Amino acid sequence: MSFILQDCLGVLIATPIILAMVALSGRLIAGVLCFPGFAQTRGTVRRAGLSLLVGAAALPVLLDLAGHAGPRAMAALALVLSLGGLIAALRSRAADTGDGREMALAATIIVGWTLFCMVMLVDWPEGDGLRRSMQSADHVKHAAATWAIAQSGAPPYNPTFFEPGAKAAYYYFFYNLTATVELLGAPLGVVARQAAWAGVVFAGVALTALAHLVYTRSGVEAALGKPAEKPLMARLLTLLATTGLDILPVVLIGGLIYHVWIVDFEFWDTQVTSWLNSVLWVPHHITGLAAAWIGFLAIVGARGGWRDRAGPVVLAGLAFASCAGVSIYVAFGAALIAGGFAIWLIIERRWADFWSWKASGVVAVLAALPWLVSLVTGRPVGAGEAPIAFEIRALPVLDVLLVAEPARSIGRLIAAPFAYAIEFGVYLLGSVLFWKKAGRRGLEGDVARLLAISVCVSLLVGTFLRSTVLLNDLGWRIMLFAQLATLVWCLAALRGGLFHVAPPPGKRPMATWLWTCLLLGFAADIYGVVQMRRYTEETAAEVAMAPDERAAWAWMSANLPASTIVEENPDRPRAFGYGLYGHFRASVADHYNGILFGSTKAAIEARINDLKPLFTNPDLTREDAMAIATRASIDVVVLRATDPIFRAPAAWPSPTDVLFSNEGVRVIGIEKKAFAEATP
């Protein structure tokens, strides 16, 4: 129970740190660089939400530039910007009064969301053991990137594959935020996993603020011809909490066809990930979406001559640079959207606006250049297939029936519209109603045009391209743009009463379809929440061993130098201890995580094969074991009760090698790497 309380307390400390750091920094940046409409924004909550978004857009790349001078420089910059933002906020407090209800609602939402995130992410007690959330499969790399940056600055070393002097080749900017939170919160006991989990809370708040901002600046209410009368926030939160009709194919597959209940309900299709899943699993991609849209809004809102445009252009450039370093896949979509909008500007001969877009791109490249160099030089050229490939959007249920080409691709193409209809659910329904009512007025204004272009880009890229690094993250994350646009249109239809227009005779009321789609969407998210906490892939032995595992990593964190190379059994899809519970580099972490940080699959597999005997071969001699470990630069080996040699009576570790042990874990020191100061 102490582990659970420690993590909950850590999240409760880290969450206000990240929210305050980003919002206060954003407050200063928005004022100095003249984000369009910021000076006219009234109310503490609305200004804080806008500040949070500007901070999320500009701070990641600024921290990265500071991080080249080391982690202390990152923390110092965050403190200076936050202090400047606090001073600016205090000076303008007269404009932020009179919204007590909004403040109470915002506080309630943030507290409730924080508690929900803790329930979803923190290890749960089960019998005498602990069960990890399914999301730990991703948060192990979030936490590992966080502490790697907190130790080394930017760019960080690769925590998953030890190569002396090598840096990670990864889009790690989101973890500049969480690493700074770890640095600032360390005196209060905050550790990397807790800072990473606080990043989830932050991303959820930022998403809500982003949806509200884009909606209010999109002109959708004017396009419908009358001001909306129904409350905004309740309907916005309702739409964010629901998803598509995924529960229907999940029930069909699990109950009628294959009798296998999918662990993650998104995997019946090439997913259009629900907002809830996106925030809980991949908060960095949500932050990338926010950065992209702050860049868009900064440019389209800029007016006047170059002196008036300079601030917004620089801010947009910083936002686009952050977007690239936070989520390369979201940035790919943002670049295509910007390109499509630039063509529109050329057609309309809006040259000042066109050159503003071009100038922001130059700023983005210059700001992100150090990271771009590390990305290009850190990933071996020609070591595998191209990062993006052509492929018709996959549909696993159909692929079982259509194996040969071209029948499979033709079948996928025919099925794609139906799959999208299921995935978008109520969003699609609301969008159809909006466009039926708005017509051409739905394209009036730059923000409205950006929304329309973003849907086209999402569908084209998501249907015909895929990423090849581990999973199809491009196909999943590019859809965030279409989801935001359809969310805005559906919200306009809800607030405009379009679902409650009297139907023609003999037709079912649209309100019936609305509630059907909403309830099915809620059912899918509830199914996902239950499955994420059940984590059916974790064995009973692993659950029972988890407290011993955490105790061993806690001992190592307290007694071993941060430079120690610690190796647990890497022969599994995802390892957890090195990233979640420790803060030590691994010689090789597992089969997958190293690929994300820039290592080649061939090098990873070769090292895993070399190290496997340490954990599986009871006949391995001590001398041979020490030679294998030394060759891989390992200082400490962690044996778990699930490793074959753990209880083998004649296995290679000798009693003198044991630095720490309990019922489920044994920490073994390598002979040539002495730890005289470490005592059990």
Side-chain angles (χ1 to χ4, degrees), residues 123 126 130-138 263 281 528-540 542-543 573-576:
D123 293 349
E126 183 171 309
L130 293 169
R131 181 175 290 275
R132 283 183 285 263
S133 169
M134 189 196 304
Q135 289 128 340
S136 294
D138 266 21
V263 175
W281 279 96
V529 165
V530 172
Q531 288 289 66
M532 281 185 271
R533 281 301 349 180
R534 285 181 67 239
Y535 190 26
T536 54
E537 295 180 10
E538 196 168 23
T539 67
E542 289 172 326
V543 171
R574 305 273 184 172
F576 297 98

Side-chain angles (χ1 to χ4, degrees), residues 9 28 75 98 134 160 171 211 220 246 256 285 349 421 457 568 575 592:
L9 180 60
L28 179 65
M134 189 196 304
T160 66
Y171 45 97
V220 287
D246 304 77
L256 298 177
H285 294 303
R349 298 181 180 275
V457 168
E568 54 187 327
Y592 291 152

Side-chain angles (χ1 to χ4, degrees), residues 234-283:
R235 283 160 179 77
L236 172 58
L237 293 175
T238 297
L239 290 179
L240 288 174
T242 192
T243 186
L245 311 179
D246 304 77
I247 195 66
L248 296 178
V250 168
V251 170
L252 185 65
I253 293 169
L256 298 177
I257 301 178
Y258 297 113
H259 305 291
V260 175
W261 293 97
I262 303 173
V263 175
D264 184 344
F265 72 86
E266 303 283 4
F267 276 86
W268 72 271
D269 184 21
T270 298
Q271 57 185 272
V272 177
T273 316
S274 72
W275 290 120
L276 184 62
N277 265 10
S278 286
V279 174
L280 288 173
W281 279 96
V282 286

Side-chain angles (χ1 to χ4, degrees), residues 160-162 565-571 586-590 603-617 620 624-639 643 645 652 670:
T160 66
F161 191 86
F162 179 69
I565 310 300
V566 179
E567 186 65 37
E568 54 187 327
N569 192 343
D571 190 20
S587 178
V588 57
D590 51 40
I604 289 170
E605 294 302 320
R607 188 169 293 182
I608 288 175
N609 289 332
D610 192 38
L611 296 182
K612 274 196 296 187
L614 292 173
F615 306 91
T616 60
N617 185 0
L620 187 70
D624 287 342
M626 291 292 173
I628 292 172
T630 301
R631 186 165 61 245
S633 301
I634 296 170
D635 300 316
V636 167
V637 170
V638 178
L639 298 178
D643 294 325
I645 74 161
W652 65 267
I670 300 306

Side-chain angles (χ1 to χ4, degrees), residues 49 188 346 358 378 414 436 548:
L188 300 175
I346 292 173
K358 290 295 184 182
I414 294 172
K436 185 177 180 181
D548 290 336

Side-chain angles (χ1 to χ4, degrees), residues 15-244:
T15 294
I17 292 176
I18 192 171
L19 292 177
M21 178 186 76
V22 177
L24 290 174
S25 298
R27 172 66 184 84
L28 179 65
I29 295 167
V32 171
L33 296 181
C34 303
F35 181 79
F38 182 77
Q40 293 74 37
T41 302
R42 293 294 180 265
T44 302
V45 173
R46 296 185 183 187
R47 183 165 284 197
L50 186 50
S51 298
L52 186 78
L53 291 172
V54 173
L59 192 56
V61 69
L62 294 177
L63 289 175
D64 187 68
L65 294 173
H68 284 76
R72 291 184 179 180
M74 296 174 65
L77 176 64
L79 287 174
V80 169
L81 292 176
S82 297
L83 180 60
L86 178 60
I87 294 172
L90 292 175
R91 286 179 175 176
S92 64
R93 63 185 182 277
D96 297 341
T97 58
D99 59 348
R101 290 185 179 180
E102 286 188 358
M103 291 179 67
L105 176 61
T108 301
I109 292 172
I110 291 173
V111 170
W113 171 241
T114 302
L115 295 175
F116 175 77
C117 288
M118 289 193 297
V119 169
M120 292 305 300
L121 299 170
V122 172
D123 293 349
W124 269 17
E126 183 171 309
D128 293 329
L130 293 169
R131 181 175 290 275
R132 283 183 285 263
S133 169
M134 189 196 304
Q135 289 128 340
S136 294
D138 266 21
H139 283 284
V140 64
K141 75 172 186 291
H142 302 335
T146 295
W147 56 252
I149 295 171
Q151 288 179 7
S152 67
Y157 52 70
N158 184 345
T160 66
F161 191 86
F162 179 69
E163 293 179 284
K167 299 291 186 177
Y170 186 49
Y171 45 97
Y172 61 83
F173 279 18
F174 179 78
Y175 313 112
N176 291 338
L177 299 176
T178 55
T180 306
V181 170
E182 182 189 1
L183 290 167
L184 297 177
L188 300 175
V190 174
V191 296
R193 65 179 174 277
Q194 298 156 2
W197 292 338
V200 174
V201 182
F202 155 76
V205 177
L207 173 62
T208 305
L210 176 67
H212 187 280
L213 177 65
V214 174
Y215 177 83
T216 55
R217 297 200 177 187
S218 63
V220 287
E221 292 182 5
L224 293 180
K226 62 176 183 177
E229 299 177 353
K230 299 182 184 297
L232 170 59
M233 188 54 67
R235 283 160 179 77
L236 172 58
L237 293 175
T238 297
L239 290 179
L240 288 174
T242 192
T243 186

